[in-house]
Amino acid sequence: MNQASVNDKFKVSPFYVFFLVHSLQTGLGVLSFQRSLAKATGTDGWISILLAGLIVHIIIWLIYKIFSLVPGDIISVNNHAFGKWIGNFFSLLFILYFFVLGMTVIIGYINVLHVWMFEEVPSWVFALVFLILIYYIITGGFQTITGITFLTVIFSYWLIFVPFYGLKYADFTNSLPIFDHTLLEIMKGTRSASLSMIGFEMILMYYPFIQNGEKSQKYAQGGALATTLLMLLLYFGSIVFYAEKQLALTIWPTLTLTSIIELPFIQRFEYIIISWWALVIIPNMVIPLWAASRGYKRLFNVQQKYPLWVMSILILLINIFFFDVDSLYILYKIINPYSVCFLVLYLPLLLVFINIKKVGKRL
């Protein structure tokens, strides 16, 4: 089996972890998280966002704590904690999760393109274009992936100023009352917000590619904090622009809000947003599929391009034969409960098993 160690020439600076974490958390969820949050907590959604952000910070701390005890990646950690066979079983679950997450992002963005721009274009055409680009980026190595991620964040951050346009039509009384929901409703909203923040867990696979990985935690925490602040900004902009019941019925609040922008030379400004969002979404497609193919390579000692080919063909076939809103809904149903179990249960238990094994060796 391949070792998790990586040659220093293939590693990236700890500084880039900020962009790797932040970019993976600002994908499709940013376009639609307000709806589920408004259904659960209404004007108190900001509380759920803060709690979800706190959970993410704790989980990131757990990840770095685990790697301080067992250097490597999640496959090395699983084998250390549970042995080869059980460890490989859990590693396969992670690989499946990474693959399904990457596929969900691709199909989800294609669905946005269908609904808003290109209804008549077959989904497999978009899938083929994205998969060729994804393959090209992944085969360039992790440094190439990191460079693309850095550039997409830098060139796309002007988008955060777009919601401010809606403030001229805002009714700030829509943000009242506050503290008007039960703890159960707040926790339900926290779950919805947490699902929009997933992606940071890819640290579990790319940690060996970070120079002095233990020093990168502050950048990972900074990336998560930037995501929390961005979600607070977007949610506040949405809650004062829409009525609460209207927000709960709007599928893509962020896109719908941008559709009110009209310029003398551009009437449908949301087309610009959707097209530019391809830059934002590329790391969300690339890194999960890189993590899945890298994990398969680590487990079965094969070249990374082979599992990448298989995953690409599967995604293309699904877009040819099964693509519809129902298939996207099924993928979300697979991702959502798995993500919650991963965030809340698996990593803390993994840390406990590692510590138990460490104590056992001392005895």
Side-chain angles (χ1 to χ4, degrees):
M1 183 181 296
N2 294 345
Q3 297 299 314
S5 58
V6 175
N7 193 303
D8 285 345
K9 68 179 181 179
F10 298 122
K11 293 183 178 183
V12 299
S13 170
F15 167 74
Y16 290 105
V17 176
F18 174 93
F19 299 94
L20 290 167
V21 170
H22 182 51
S23 66
L24 278 166
Q25 291 184 296
T26 51
L28 287 175
V30 172
L31 301 178
S32 59
F33 77 95
Q34 301 98 316
R35 182 191 185 194
S36 57
L37 200 52
K39 285 182 178 180
T41 55
T43 54
D44 287 331
W46 61 274
I47 303 176
S48 296
I49 293 173
L50 289 176
L51 288 176
L54 178 61
I55 291 172
V56 169
H57 286 296
I58 293 173
I59 296 297
I60 290 175
W61 176 84
L62 282 173
I63 291 173
Y64 278 88
K65 182 65 178 178
I66 288 170
F67 285 136
S68 70
L69 298 174
V70 184
D73 55 21
I74 187 61
I75 294 174
S76 303
V77 175
N78 284 335
N79 288 345
H80 176 85
F82 304 112
K84 179 179 178 181
W85 296 108
I86 298 178
N88 285 352
F89 170 75
F90 284 117
S91 296
L92 281 172
L93 292 181
F94 273 93
I95 292 170
L96 178 62
Y97 166 68
F98 295 149
F99 168 64
V100 173
L101 180 61
M103 180 169 59
T104 302
V105 173
I106 294 172
I107 294 179
Y109 183 65
I110 292 174
N111 182 51
V112 173
L113 291 174
H114 268 167
V115 172
W116 286 82
M117 296 181 68
F118 304 108
E119 184 178 358
E120 302 300 326
V121 179
S123 61
W124 67 266
V125 174
F126 292 118
L128 182 61
V129 172
F130 284 130
L131 289 170
I132 291 173
L133 178 60
I134 290 168
Y135 181 82
Y136 178 75
I137 294 173
I138 290 178
T139 53
F142 188 74
Q143 289 178 330
T144 301
I145 295 172
T146 304
I148 294 292
T149 301
F150 172 77
L151 291 176
T152 58
V153 173
I154 295 299
F155 289 145
S156 301
Y157 233 72
W158 65 271
L159 294 172
I160 68 172
F161 298 103
V162 173
F164 286 106
Y165 186 90
L167 293 181
K168 63 191 294 186
Y169 305 105
D171 181 359
F172 290 93
T173 61
N174 288 344
S175 62
L176 301 173
I178 60 174
F179 306 115
D180 192 43
H181 293 77
T182 65
L183 179 61
L184 182 61
E185 291 171 330
I186 295 294
M187 295 309 298
K188 185 178 179 181
T190 299
R191 178 180 177 274
S192 299
S194 297
L195 292 171
S196 299
M197 293 183 177
I198 60 174
F200 65 90
E201 67 275 15
M202 299 300 155
I203 299 173
L204 292 166
M205 283 305 302
Y206 63 69
Y207 183 85
F209 287 84
I210 306 169
Q211 296 174 357
N212 302 316
E214 67 281 356
K215 296 181 180 179
S216 66
Q217 181 174 178
K218 61 182 179 182
Y219 297 106
Q221 300 285 9
L225 178 60
T227 303
T228 302
L229 295 176
L230 176 62
M231 292 184 67
L232 284 171
L233 173 64
L234 290 174
Y235 192 73
F236 177 75
S238 298
I239 204 71
V240 298
F241 178 77
Y242 300 95
E244 183 178 332
K245 292 182 179 179
Q246 182 186 11
L247 181 58
L249 295 173
T250 305
I251 299 177
W252 290 293
T254 304
L255 286 179
T256 304
L257 193 154
T258 61
S259 66
I260 68 171
I261 301 175
E262 291 187 7
L263 301 175
F265 53 93
I266 299 175
Q267 187 174 9
R268 300 297 300 272
F269 191 78
E270 67 271 22
Y271 286 0
I272 303 295
I273 299 297
I274 295 168
S275 301
W276 203 279
W277 207 260
L279 286 178
V280 178
I281 216 72
I282 284 296
N284 291 259
M285 300 177 183
V286 170
I287 297 180
L289 294 183
W290 172 86
S293 56
R294 165 78 180 175
Y296 196 91
K297 172 187 175 181
R298 291 267 291 109
L299 278 183
F300 300 105
N301 197 23
V302 298
Q303 293 186 44
Q304 191 168 350
K305 63 181 180 180
Y306 296 130
L308 189 57
W309 287 349
V310 173
M311 289 186 293
S312 299
I313 292 171
L314 284 174
I315 293 172
L316 188 60
L317 290 175
I318 288 173
N319 276 275
I320 293 174
F321 296 109
F322 301 106
F323 181 83
D324 54 29
V325 176
D326 290 336
S327 64
L328 184 61
Y329 177 77
I330 291 171
L331 286 173
Y332 280 132
K333 279 295 186 181
I334 295 173
I335 286 292
N336 288 359
Y338 192 100
S339 300
V340 172
C341 290
F342 165 78
L343 291 170
V344 179
L345 297 177
Y346 185 80
L347 288 179
L349 288 175
L350 183 60
L351 182 59
V352 170
F353 272 100
I354 291 172
N355 282 312
I356 290 174
K357 190 168 185 177
K358 186 176 181 181
V359 172
K361 286 184 177 181
R362 290 177 179 176
L363 296 176

